[in-house]
Amino acid sequence: MSRPTQVRIPRTRRYLMCRPTYFEVTYSINPWMDPAKPVDVELAIAQWEQLRALHQELGHQVELIDPLPGLPDMVYAANGATVVDGKVLGARFRNAERAAEGPAYLEWFRARGFTDHEPVHVNEGEGDFLLTETCVLAGRGFRSVGEGHAEAQEFFGRPVVGLELVDPRFYHLDTALTVLDGDEIMYYPDAFSPGSRAVLRRLFPDAVLVSEADAEVFGLNAVSDGLHVVLPEAATGVMARLRERGFQPIGLDLSELLKGGGSVKCCTLEIRDRA
Ligand code: ARG
């Protein structure tokens, strides 16, 4: 198959990140978390610093929220909120261990004058909400719920397409699907129910389909600026596919943060200001 290599144009982004100062794995709310496995906080911080530096080298603005003791998962900033058109939908976590993160992130945005909505139903921010050109793709099945999707649609005034996740290893949408640019996406089909797979095929017939091996190393937990795609370095298959499409994949080692069940995208919340 010969597809003319597209010219890719990066767009400058604004991100929010949280240093893993208090990172640890003391509870288990996804299959990747094993409290019996030791975590090296210094290494986690060093790996996270590399991600932050890379975002900045690529020309993006990185804002920081102060980590709070007792909230080890706060490093996964993507879960803290969803920001579209300068409007902030707060997060409401499924698990009690993470409940206090929602208000902490909302407070950060309030202090900076953003318009917000305090959620009634469970939604775990950009862990389950991913924005494409035409819609918001929304995961459910493990964390966020359908009522939370409806709440997002009403607040953002954008169509929300609900997708059923069925494999506990891929418990958040951002572990199973990446938005690359506009309406171009990549995903691991078996992470979704048959009906949701059919929806994805219908809406995104040109999507890059990713293998289980690449999904398992969190190859879909990636952040794209329209040209550069930052992702875990072990996802070599994804990198090859992205190059064919004219993207520039950049691999990173975030092995310590993987012990909490997250990687590049989980650590990066996009702040989308009003256009
Ligand atoms: N330990 C966290 C949890 O299970 C990891 C969250 C990963 N974040 C993400 N955006 N997928 O909730």
Side-chain angles (χ1 to χ4, degrees):
M1 191 188 76
S2 77
R3 169 199 294 271
T5 305
Q6 248 177 283
V7 177
R8 300 287 177 183
I9 300 167
R11 195 166 53 75
T12 304
R13 312 282 170 137
R14 187 175 170 202
Y15 297 133
L16 178 60
M17 297 181 70
C18 181
R19 181 179 280 105
T21 311
Y22 305 108
F23 182 63
E24 56 184 5
V25 178
T26 47
Y27 54 82
S28 178
I29 54 172
N30 70 56
W32 307 96
M33 300 175 84
D34 178 358
K37 244 197 222 160
V39 165
D40 182 339
V41 190
E42 294 310 312
L43 182 56
I45 295 173
Q47 292 176 339
W48 177 92
E49 286 290 358
Q50 280 189 0
L51 173 62
R52 172 164 89 129
L54 178 58
H55 282 325
Q56 288 170 329
E57 276 159 34
L58 293 175
H60 308 303
Q61 190 185 338
V62 177
E63 309 255 8
L64 297 178
I65 179 172
D66 286 334
L68 296 172
L71 295 177
D73 278 339
M74 207 174 158
V75 61
Y76 303 113
N79 301 140
T82 307
V83 190
V84 179
D85 302 323
K87 293 165 71 180
V88 181
L89 173 63
R92 189 181 181 96
F93 287 85
R94 163 74 57 116
N95 302 98
E97 293 89 339
R98 300 196 66 185
E101 292 181 45
Y105 275 90
L106 207 53
E107 196 39 58
W108 189 92
F109 284 102
R110 281 189 180 152
R112 284 154 188 84
F114 283 85
T115 307
D116 70 76
H117 173 77
E118 218 173 310
V120 177
H121 302 286
V122 171
N123 89 69
E124 297 202 351
E126 284 204 318
D128 278 323
F129 289 133
L130 296 174
L131 189 77
T132 76
E133 183 79 33
T134 52
C135 65
V136 179
L137 296 175
R140 59 169 181 247
F142 295 102
R143 301 292 181 85
S144 304
V145 296
E147 292 93 328
H149 296 179
E151 214 177 342
Q153 174 162 294
E154 198 53 38
F155 179 60
F156 292 130
R158 290 185 180 237
V160 172
V161 177
L163 299 167
E164 194 75 27
L165 294 163
V166 295
D167 183 330
R169 292 173 300 168
F170 308 108
Y171 57 94
H172 271 147
L173 184 63
D174 72 356
T175 65
L177 187 150
T178 314
V179 177
L180 294 168
D181 193 27
D183 278 322
E184 220 173 325
I185 67 166
M186 59 179 180
Y187 64 97
Y188 169 52
D190 287 349
F192 298 91
S193 68
S196 294
R197 276 204 296 271
V199 167
L200 286 171
R201 273 199 304 274
R202 193 178 283 272
L203 290 179
F204 306 99
D206 277 341
V208 178
L209 302 184
V210 168
S211 70
E212 180 175 22
D214 277 321
E216 262 201 316
V217 291
F218 270 62
L220 288 159
N221 200 243
V223 172
S224 174
D225 65 11
L227 169 66
H228 314 99
V229 183
V230 184
L231 76 172
E233 64 182 9
T236 50
V238 175
M239 292 201 214
R241 305 293 306 281
L242 290 175
R243 278 190 207 100
E244 284 166 17
R245 296 241 181 166
F247 290 102
Q248 284 179 26
I250 306 173
L252 273 189
D253 179 9
L254 290 183
S255 59
E256 287 311 294
L257 294 162
L258 213 53
K259 293 177 181 170
S263 189
V264 174
K265 171 59 203 169
C266 297
C267 295
T268 312
L269 174 66
E270 185 167 351
I271 303 174
R272 299 181 190 85
D273 294 309
R274 198 171 292 281

